[in-house]
Amino acid sequence: MSQDRKTPLYETHRSLGAKMIPFGGWDMPVQYSGIIAEHTATREAAGLFDVSHMGEIFVTGQPEKILEFLESLSCNTVSSLENFQVQYNAILNQQGGLVDDVTIYKFSPEKYMICSNASNYEAVSAHLKKHLPENGVSIDDQSALWHQIAIQGPKADRILSEYLSKDLSKILYYRFAMLSWEGEDIIVSRTGYTGEDGFEIYCSVPLGLKLWNGLLEFGKPFGLLPCGLGARDTLRIEAKYALYGHELNETWTPVESGIGWIVKEKKKPYFASDKILSQKKNGPPSKIVGFCLTEAGVPRENFRVLDADGNEIGKTTSGTFSPSLKKGIGLALIRAEKIKDGEPIQIEIREQPKQAIIVTKPFIEGSIRKN
């Protein structure tokens, strides 16, 4: 019998005919109507995702102390955040590897929220508490109290705005707002993990259940579908977004992991900052990069990557058949000197080398708002 935890929507997923699988210690839906149908709905209309297994960790206290604390554990500049802005960041261990990649929400100089991955939020909470200053900062892991769902796709704005009877156009990309709905203050942010425009809604569990069911019914005429982890994975690979346990782990630095753009120089050092900044300046030995097959085949993780002459130069970290591009695509950790856009490589699938090329940009341009 599965020991995986269940989200509050577990029975709802079952009633919708979802196929459930273990994921990061949770029993999660992998698909409902089918991965390609759900993927296409998100690219062309909208998809609704249960992400209530994610973690919500609140950091409160004295403004200067909070900043000093968060800056010492992360590579992006938390001090650049404005109120009601969201930042993609990484919580680092002392060797420069990732405890987790996170989004940080700034409510005020005295209050921040860290949204952490489902499999990692307990480790993030423990890591924060381990390095907590003696006074001035408090950590409160409220993950069990919050419900989170995400609506993604070019029609997400219209569907959610009309359903909530709120004008969401003022919530810009990587911003959030506190909205009053059904007698409760909810958090609505605009980030996303699909390459498409969309929102995350944080609220209480009872309201989350009502919101999921209500949105699905309201969004049907617009083409809204419930989506599982299968479509979430194909969507994020097409957008070239990293996933913890694949492109991100405790060993590789943010630069090696392909998220070096969040690495910043700061006034004070952070964990392994000399090493990480040196890699950003001079280049790491190996780095995550995209690839697409130029012949038939479906890549998966841990396949050997070869150069045009058949020499091993890396390994795949994620791979899939792209429903949008109708070809095999993926991400791989490859020796840095071999990385060049359009460079011919080979992916070894079932001991058969398949022709591919390196792709340094996102595979698709979605409806994501950059303003």
Side-chain angles (χ1 to χ4, degrees), residues 112-156:
Y112 295 76
M113 180 182 80
I114 296 174
C115 180
S116 177
N117 286 302
S119 57
N120 288 355
Y121 68 76
E122 287 165 333
V124 170
S125 184
H127 187 69
L128 294 173
K129 288 174 181 175
K130 180 181 176 182
H131 298 283
L132 201 62
E134 285 187 12
N135 53 61
V137 183
S138 297
I139 304 294
D140 185 13
D141 185 348
Q142 295 185 12
S143 303
L145 305 177
W146 288 91
H147 192 278
Q148 187 193 158
I149 60 176
I151 181 169
Q152 296 279 295
K155 295 183 182 178

Side-chain angles (χ1 to χ4, degrees), residues 30-42 225-228 231 235:
V30 66
Q31 65 180 48
Y32 302 85
S33 50
I35 292 171
I36 291 180
E38 294 163 28
H39 178 108
T40 304
T42 307
L225 287 183
C227 299
L235 290 159

Side-chain angles (χ1 to χ4, degrees), residues 68 71-74 266-274 277:
E68 187 178 340
E71 296 284 35
S72 69
L73 298 171
S74 66
K266 303 186 190 183
K267 292 177 182 177
K268 291 186 178 180
Y270 48 90
F271 283 156
S273 53
D274 288 347
L277 289 166

Side-chain angles (χ1 to χ4, degrees), residues 70-120:
L70 291 177
E71 296 284 35
S72 69
L73 298 171
S74 66
C75 57
N76 207 343
T77 46
V78 184
S79 59
S80 67
L81 277 172
E82 299 173 358
N83 291 349
F84 298 101
Q85 187 174 5
V86 188
Q87 180 185 73
Y88 182 59
N89 206 331
I91 303 297
L92 304 169
N93 60 30
Q94 282 153 308
Q95 291 72 45
L98 274 71
V99 180
D100 201 11
D101 64 320
V102 300
T103 45
I104 299 180
Y105 289 59
K106 182 180 181 181
F107 291 80
S108 71
E110 297 82 22
K111 180 182 178 182
Y112 295 76
M113 180 182 80
I114 296 174
C115 180
S116 177
N117 286 302
S119 57
N120 288 355

Side-chain angles (χ1 to χ4, degrees), residues 290-297 299 304-308 313 316 327-330 332 334 340-349 352-359 363:
F291 66 86
C292 73
L293 296 186
T294 54
E295 62 175 304
R304 293 203 312 153
V305 181
L306 315 173
D307 65 14
I313 56 170
T316 60
K327 63 176 74 172
I329 65 170
I334 294 177
K340 183 183 175 186
D341 194 51
E343 182 75 12
I345 57 169
Q346 303 175 80
I347 308 297
E348 199 174 75
I349 302 177
Q352 293 292 317
K354 299 286 185 177
Q355 300 302 311
I357 58 169
I358 289 175
V359 179
F363 297 106

Side-chain angles (χ1 to χ4, degrees), residues 35-36 38-40 43 193-194 228-240 300 319-324 329 363-364:
I35 292 171
I36 291 180
E38 294 163 28
H39 178 108
T40 304
R43 286 276 180 254
Y193 191 59
T194 61
L229 294 173
R232 191 169 167 83
D233 202 47
T234 56
L235 290 159
R236 70 97 188 167
I237 293 174
E238 285 186 351
K240 278 185 72 179
R300 300 297 182 194
T320 191
F321 174 78
S322 164
S324 302
I329 65 170
F363 297 106
I364 60 102

Side-chain angles (χ1 to χ4, degrees), residues 158-160 162-163 213-222:
R158 183 180 174 188
I159 294 169
L160 189 60
E162 289 188 16
Y163 182 71
N213 292 321
L215 262 178
L216 266 190
E217 190 63 34
F218 182 82
K220 266 184 192 174
F222 299 93

